Amino acid sequence: EYMGVVGHVMPPKHKPATQATSAILSFLQWISVSGVVFVLFFNSINGDFVFDDVEAVVNNPDVLQTSALSSLLSNDFWGFPMSNALSHKSYRPLTVLTLRICHHMTGLSPQLYHFWNIALHSINSVLVFRLCRDLLPLSGTLSNVPDIASITALLFATHPIHVEAVASIVGRAELLSGTFFLLALRCYLKTLSKPLTTSRTIFWISVSAALSFLAMLSKEQGITAMGVNVLLEVVTYLMHRHTTNQFTQPFFRIFLLILLTVPMLMFRVYVMQGPPPAFAR
């Protein structure tokens, strides 16, 4: 560090300015990541309903508002009752609700549906940036954290594997589930980043579980956020097991995760209302 006059250390007078600069830099990075997403995917804004979009939106009474709003709680993603033998058992009421809102606002004009998908992917890319900022300090990798997070977020935003989910309207399920999934991980990381009281630990784990539940209601795989939380717990404990800090109580947090996951699994089995779907060619 720079030393002032001999024998005198310059006081950190500009710390607030440094914090403000860091906040501005982070904001600009968020804007950059979001901008890249919109530049890459905006050409899909005028795409029509194709393939599964037709069944999920155009022919879906739950989206077309020809069924009661309460039917979203008993029907699958395609508008069939979960108890119906033809049901795929894909229970995604939150995703269907967002599609229903789009139809209420613009009917079957596809622009808003596509815009919503692009916006969700933009939000998810920023959440990946923030998640990296949260994760790297836990691993002890403190140097160039903003740059690493930015590169990771840009790779996530531009990777071709996301094209189908963003460009096809039916991909709303993956995008919405991903949003809640990433938020669930960020909330759980709050229990690992610094020592917390028992009540605050229970609070953040409960919030993470609630977000995992919303991810599951967007697409079934969203419940795996709880499993990733356990993985984060185990990896973090192994990295810090030789130190005396907040990582010395992992079993309590894992117990809470299991305790909250079991009713979620029971609910998912309950709403299936029968055996798994039998797919035919």
Side-chain angles (χ1 to χ4, degrees), residues 188 233-234 237 246-255:
Y188 189 77
E233 184 70 62
V234 172
Y237 173 73
Q246 70 268 27
F247 304 111
T248 58
Q249 298 180 348
F251 299 107
F252 172 67
R253 293 188 289 265
I254 292 176
F255 171 75

Side-chain angles (χ1 to χ4, degrees), residues 43-97:
N43 63 336
S44 69
I45 202 79
N46 291 315
D48 207 345
F49 298 97
V50 295
F51 303 115
D52 287 344
D53 296 343
V54 177
E55 295 301 322
V57 179
V58 178
N59 296 335
N60 190 339
D62 291 337
V63 174
L64 300 179
Q65 306 175 82
T66 57
S67 62
L69 184 62
S70 59
S71 65
L72 272 65
L73 300 177
S74 58
N75 291 352
D76 67 12
F77 183 58
W78 312 97
F80 289 97
M82 291 290 287
S83 58
N84 192 309
L86 297 176
S87 173
H88 286 185
K89 309 297 184 182
S90 49
Y91 188 71
R92 306 168 188 175
L94 272 185
T95 300
V96 178
L97 178 62

Side-chain angles (χ1 to χ4, degrees), residues 9-273:
V9 179
M10 297 296 290
K13 296 181 179 179
H14 303 294
K15 186 175 181 181
T18 302
Q19 292 176 343
T21 301
S22 178
I24 294 173
L25 179 60
S26 293
F27 178 74
L28 292 176
Q29 288 169 323
W30 298 356
I31 295 299
S32 299
V33 171
S34 297
V36 167
V37 170
F38 275 91
V39 168
L40 288 178
F41 290 99
F42 198 75
N43 63 336
S44 69
I45 202 79
N46 291 315
D48 207 345
F49 298 97
V50 295
F51 303 115
D52 287 344
D53 296 343
V54 177
E55 295 301 322
V57 179
V58 178
N59 296 335
N60 190 339
D62 291 337
V63 174
L64 300 179
Q65 306 175 82
T66 57
S67 62
L69 184 62
S70 59
S71 65
L72 272 65
L73 300 177
S74 58
N75 291 352
D76 67 12
F77 183 58
W78 312 97
F80 289 97
M82 291 290 287
S83 58
N84 192 309
L86 297 176
S87 173
H88 286 185
K89 309 297 184 182
S90 49
Y91 188 71
R92 306 168 188 175
L94 272 185
T95 300
V96 178
L97 178 62
T98 65
L99 296 172
R100 188 179 177 110
I101 292 172
C102 286
H103 182 268
H104 178 75
M105 296 177 66
T106 61
L108 290 176
S109 177
Q111 285 80 8
L112 181 61
Y113 298 84
H114 285 297
F115 180 83
W116 198 324
N117 278 21
I118 297 170
L120 281 173
H121 185 50
S122 174
I123 291 171
N124 291 345
S125 298
V126 172
L127 285 174
V128 168
F129 172 81
R130 292 300 307 164
L131 186 63
C132 288
R133 294 289 301 271
D134 295 338
L135 280 171
L136 290 171
L138 287 177
S139 68
T141 308
L142 297 176
S143 60
N144 297 322
V145 170
D147 293 335
I148 298 172
S150 297
I151 293 171
T152 303
L154 286 172
L155 286 173
F156 178 87
T158 60
H159 200 288
I161 199 172
H162 299 304
V163 170
E164 182 179 0
V166 181
S168 61
I169 295 169
V170 76
R172 177 74 57 83
E174 286 85 352
L175 298 168
L176 189 61
S177 181
T179 301
F180 291 122
F181 190 106
L182 292 167
L183 287 172
L185 298 187
R186 288 209 66 208
C187 286
Y188 189 77
L189 283 174
K190 291 183 180 295
T191 69
L192 302 178
S193 59
K194 60 183 178 180
L196 296 176
T197 62
T198 300
S199 60
R200 294 299 291 174
T201 296
I202 294 174
F203 171 77
W204 283 116
I205 292 178
S206 299
V207 172
S208 180
L211 290 166
S212 299
F213 185 67
L214 294 177
M216 185 184 73
L217 294 182
S218 302
K219 190 171 184 180
E220 299 76 18
Q221 291 87 338
I223 195 174
T224 58
M226 297 296 280
V228 176
N229 283 341
V230 173
L231 183 62
L232 286 173
E233 184 70 62
V234 172
V235 171
T236 304
Y237 173 73
L238 291 176
M239 294 178 64
H240 298 270
R241 65 186 183 277
H242 298 302
T243 61
T244 303
N245 52 27
Q246 70 268 27
F247 304 111
T248 58
Q249 298 180 348
F251 299 107
F252 172 67
R253 293 188 289 265
I254 292 176
F255 171 75
L256 284 179
L257 288 172
I258 295 173
L259 188 67
L260 293 169
T261 302
V262 169
M264 293 165 61
L265 290 171
M266 293 175 63
F267 172 81
R268 184 64 185 89
V269 172
Y270 171 77
V271 298
M272 283 184 64
Q273 299 186 27

